[in-house]
Every structure is written in C-alpha cells, then in structure tokens.
Amino acid sequence: MTRPLSTRTENIAASLTVAIDTLAKQMIAEGKDVVSLGAGEPDFPTPRPICDAATRAIADGKTRYTAPVGILEVRKEVCNKLKRDNGLDYAPEQIIMTSGAKHAVFNSLAALVNPGDEIIIPAPYWVTYPELVKWLGGVPKFVPTTIGNKFKMTAEQLQSAITEKTKAILINNPCNPTGSVYSHEELAGLAKVIVKNDIYCISDEVYEYFVYGAQFASIASFDGMAERTIVVNGFSKSHCMTGWRIGYDAAPAPIAKIIGKIQGQATHHPSNIAQYAALEALRMGMGEVDKMRAAFRRRRDFMVSQVSRILGESISAPEGAFYLFAPVAKLYGKKTPAGAAVNSSIDFCKYLLETQGLAIVPGAAFGDDSCVRFSYAASDETLAKACERFENGIKELK
Ligand code: GLU
C-alpha cells in the first residue's frame, strides 16, 4: 500500500513502561531469568470479594451493554467515595466509568483540547500524558522540576508557564514516576494560579491511597476548582485490578456530558463485569488497601536504603505512589564489560536488562534522562534480587 497512515499517530511515541513490561514478561515466558521492576503493577492478587462480585455478575447475566457512562449504582458509589475521602460533591451525572485511569485521562484531554492548545505538564511526568496531548493536536508545555525541590512545581513556575494558548494543567498527585506528593499549602498555591488564569485542571489521583506520612488532598477541593477540574481515578493500583481495566472521570456537568458522548462513540462503556467488581471495591472498606500501604511503605524504605547505599548518596524517601526515581547520571561516560558506552538512562537500562536480567524504566521516558525508575510494587524477594543485580551491574561498569 502506498497511501499514508495517520500522520498524527506517526508523531507519538509508544509507551516505554508498557514496552518494557511486555518485553520482561515475554523474556520470563521464554524461560529467561528476569527480575522486573518495570511496570507499576501491584504484586498482590485482586482481593477475593472483588473477584466473587465479578463471578456473581456473570452468573446474574450482567453481560450486556450498559449506558456509555456506566451503571448508575456504581456511579452513585463513586460519588459517595469522592465525598467520604476527598470532601467533593458530585452527582452521578458527573461520573463516567472508563476502561482504566489511562482511558479517563484520554477522555479528559479529548474533551478539552483544540489544535494548538497548550497543556501544562510538570516534568518528570508519566509517559502517556504528552503523547496523548500531541495525538489530540495539542502542545505539551513542560515545567521542569528538580530533585532539590522534591520534583514539585511551584505556583510561580506555573504562573510563568501560562500563555494565551494554555488550556489546562495536567497533574499527577501522588506522582508517577517521582513519588512526590503536594502538600495542602502547595496545592492551595497552584489552585489560586489556576483560578486566576481561568484554565482547566486534569488531576490524576490514581495513587491517592499510597501516601506515607504525607496527607493527600484533591486539588478539586480548593476554592473555585471543582468547576474547572476533571478528577481521574481508577482501581488498578488501589485494588490490584490492573487487568480489569476500570477507572473513572469525575467532571463538571458540561464536560461530563461531552466525555459521555466521546465514550458512547469510542468504546460504548467499560466492561459490565468490571463495573460490578469496582462496585464491590468501593463498598468493601479500606482493610486491603491499608495492608498494601503498609507493605509498600516497608518496601519503599528498603529500596531507598539499598539504592542510596549502592549509589553512594542519600536519596530522600518519596512520600507517595510506589516508585523510586533515582539519579544515575554520574554513571554516564562509563563503559560496559563489552566495551559499549553508557551515556544515557536508556543505555543504562538496556545494559542492566541484557547483562543482569533487571528491568527498570529509563528516566528519559518520563522527561528526565538523569534518573531511572524502580517500581517497588513487587515482593520483598524480588526487590532484594533487583538490588543485587543493580549493584552487580554498576560494579561491572568501568
Ligand atoms: N502506570 C503504570 C506504570 O507507569 C503501568 C504501565 C502504564 O500504563 O504505563 O508503570
């Protein structure tokens, strides 16, 4: 065929987190000895009551189409959750059930972005954000943050990034890949700038329950924010439901209507069965989540101490999510035993995977080539093995 395929699609990159996860899983399936801290995927099974609810849904014949926005009962329960956990008032008409939080981010951007619109994204950022913005004809406008500032964007930085073309800011709090969590005061400062400049906000809160010591607040709960914020959330991380693909958008009514329209044409709705599973997740209480949070906190502390020791510098403990974003640029310029130069996070991660069987994600995927990302949503044994391989890999560089 000579006719060109979609040029818009040619300009976006494939997801490196997904690519590394797929490659690691494939290598393991081929019998290779690979330790993967690639994708952020909790190692715990989906809690039993959720699986039982899904089985019941199948037995009860909940196997047909639902409304594009999802089942009313589930959307009502999402409203209860948003009130209980975040102090937010939503009506079920403002909730759209989606095929995971990634899909909810896509819906949100699709509802807002016109060609040429700028979307402000603090960097480091989750791989998917800029690519979706570009795909929709928008322009990602990055605001660089540094390890010294705990990878957090200040209100002043936000103000200076806003132009006539700014449509929205897209934040991930707690943040993948850095684990940073904005304090109440920091969010208040950002909210003031957002309201003053009359822009929208997409707030991806998929890691909200995984905070360690810090206090999570939704930016939608600040003065003037609810009417301009789309809250994105999902069950993949909080309830170990990555493969179920279920999440939601909570949006101001006019935006929710548009998202419902988009979804009605694109996917119709997320799986009926997964929606019943999410209903159980929303009703079952926080016992399982609390247990996971305690495990992740312990694992975070282990990873921070090990990686600090191996790199010979103290790395401060991230306050949320389940990632450690570690600085490795001082290793650049060294050579592998095979004589290849390691000049970037991609070179370094490729070397670790090929020679040590360790899969971690290059910081370049998240807009910061000086770091690499470890996911510590893995068993204690896996983390210990990963650290051993990381250390060996570094020792062998000359
Ligand atoms: N969000 C997870 C990660 O960053 C899962 C993979 C993906 O969707 O990017 O690893």
Side-chain angles (χ1 to χ4, degrees):
M1 291 293 294
T2 52
R3 290 175 197 272
L5 301 177
S6 155
T7 37
R8 247 184 4 177
T9 309
E10 263 169 27
N11 295 334
I12 65 167
S15 164
L16 205 55
T17 49
V18 171
I20 289 172
D21 183 53
T22 308
L23 177 63
K25 283 179 176 152
Q26 183 194 319
M27 289 170 80
I28 292 166
E30 287 165 358
K32 299 201 172 106
D33 176 21
V34 171
V35 171
S36 181
L37 303 187
E41 177 167 45
D43 56 312
F44 302 108
T46 306
R48 192 73 243 166
I50 297 175
C51 298
D52 290 345
T55 313
R56 268 197 314 277
I58 295 172
D60 292 349
K62 310 288 192 198
T63 51
R64 297 180 172 270
Y65 290 138
T66 76
V69 292
I71 298 161
L72 180 60
E73 214 181 348
V74 186
R75 289 183 290 121
K76 275 187 184 162
E77 209 58 67
V78 169
C79 294
N80 293 340
K81 178 262 169 231
L82 290 166
K83 182 72 186 165
R84 181 191 69 216
D85 294 347
N86 313 112
L88 297 170
D89 288 302
Y90 282 96
E93 296 69 45
Q94 296 176 268
I95 310 299
I96 301 97
M97 301 308 295
T98 62
S99 299
K102 187 182 285 194
H103 183 212
V105 172
F106 172 79
N107 280 344
S108 310
L109 288 167
L112 295 182
V113 174
N114 285 321
D117 281 352
E118 291 176 355
I119 304 294
I120 295 176
I121 304 176
Y125 46 77
W126 181 43
V127 272
T128 291
Y129 297 153
E131 303 312 312
L132 289 183
V133 170
K134 285 190 269 174
W135 192 46
L136 290 160
V139 180
K141 180 129 186 212
F142 301 117
V143 175
T145 66
T146 60
I147 204 164
N149 200 17
K150 291 195 169 177
F151 293 114
K152 291 195 256 190
M153 176 181 62
T154 63
E156 293 71 33
Q157 279 183 301
L158 174 58
Q159 181 59 62
S160 347
I162 294 174
T163 71
E164 281 286 285
K165 292 185 177 159
T166 305
K167 177 61 73 71
I169 169 179
L170 170 44
I171 59 163
N172 183 205
N173 180 40
C175 176
N176 172 8
T178 62
S180 58
V181 181
Y182 284 94
S183 70
H184 194 276
E185 292 66 37
E186 288 162 341
L187 286 175
L190 295 176
K192 258 196 192 142
V193 174
I194 292 168
V195 172
K196 188 177 120 208
N197 290 276
D198 195 22
I199 60 174
Y200 291 102
C201 175
I202 301 171
S203 180
D204 179 349
E205 304 180 353
V206 77
Y207 298 98
E208 76 168 308
Y209 296 135
F210 300 126
V211 288
Y212 317 106
Q215 193 69 37
F216 170 80
S218 171
I219 196 163
S221 65
F222 290 79
D223 275 355
M225 287 300 290
E227 69 208 57
R228 62 183 70 250
T229 303
I230 308 176
V231 172
V232 166
N233 213 326
F235 300 86
S236 293
K237 319 291 179 183
S238 60
H239 293 82
C240 310
M241 293 176 71
T242 47
W244 298 73
R245 309 313 302 132
I246 187 78
Y248 56 87
D249 278 300
I255 299 179
K257 224 173 172 179
I258 293 169
I259 294 177
K261 189 164 71 172
I262 296 167
Q263 187 151 283
Q265 293 291 14
T267 60
H268 198 164
H269 61 81
S271 151
N272 192 344
I273 300 153
Q275 291 187 60
Y276 276 97
L279 182 62
E280 180 60 31
L282 289 161
R283 286 180 173 166
M284 67 184 279
M286 297 299 287
E288 293 296 321
V289 177
D290 291 343
K291 269 193 242 161
M292 274 202 292
R293 186 190 309 106
F296 289 152
R297 185 183 193 134
R298 191 168 38 73
R299 293 166 178 186
R300 174 200 67 162
D301 293 344
F302 173 78
M303 288 304 287
V304 168
S305 76
Q306 289 301 305
V307 173
S308 294
R309 180 185 62 73
I310 295 164
L311 291 176
E313 70 182 279
S314 124
I315 298 170
S316 60
E319 291 183 305
F322 40 60
Y323 304 105
L324 178 61
F325 203 55
V328 293
K330 65 179 180 190
L331 302 170
Y332 301 168
K334 296 197 178 212
K335 286 225 155 63
T336 71
V342 172
N343 287 328
S344 67
S345 59
I346 295 186
D347 291 346
F348 182 51
C349 290
K350 191 165 170 272
Y351 159 71
L352 287 176
L353 184 59
E354 284 171 357
T355 66
Q356 303 294 324
L358 171 63
I360 54 175
V361 187
F366 310 101
D368 185 344
D369 194 38
S370 69
C371 292
V372 291
R373 188 193 80 173
F374 298 85
S375 162
Y376 54 83
S379 72
D380 295 0
E381 195 196 345
T382 303
L383 294 179
K385 254 196 210 166
C387 288
E388 225 171 82
R389 293 177 184 207
F390 184 62
E391 186 164 16
N392 282 342
I394 290 178
K395 272 190 190 147
E396 285 175 14
L397 289 177
K398 293 282 170 283

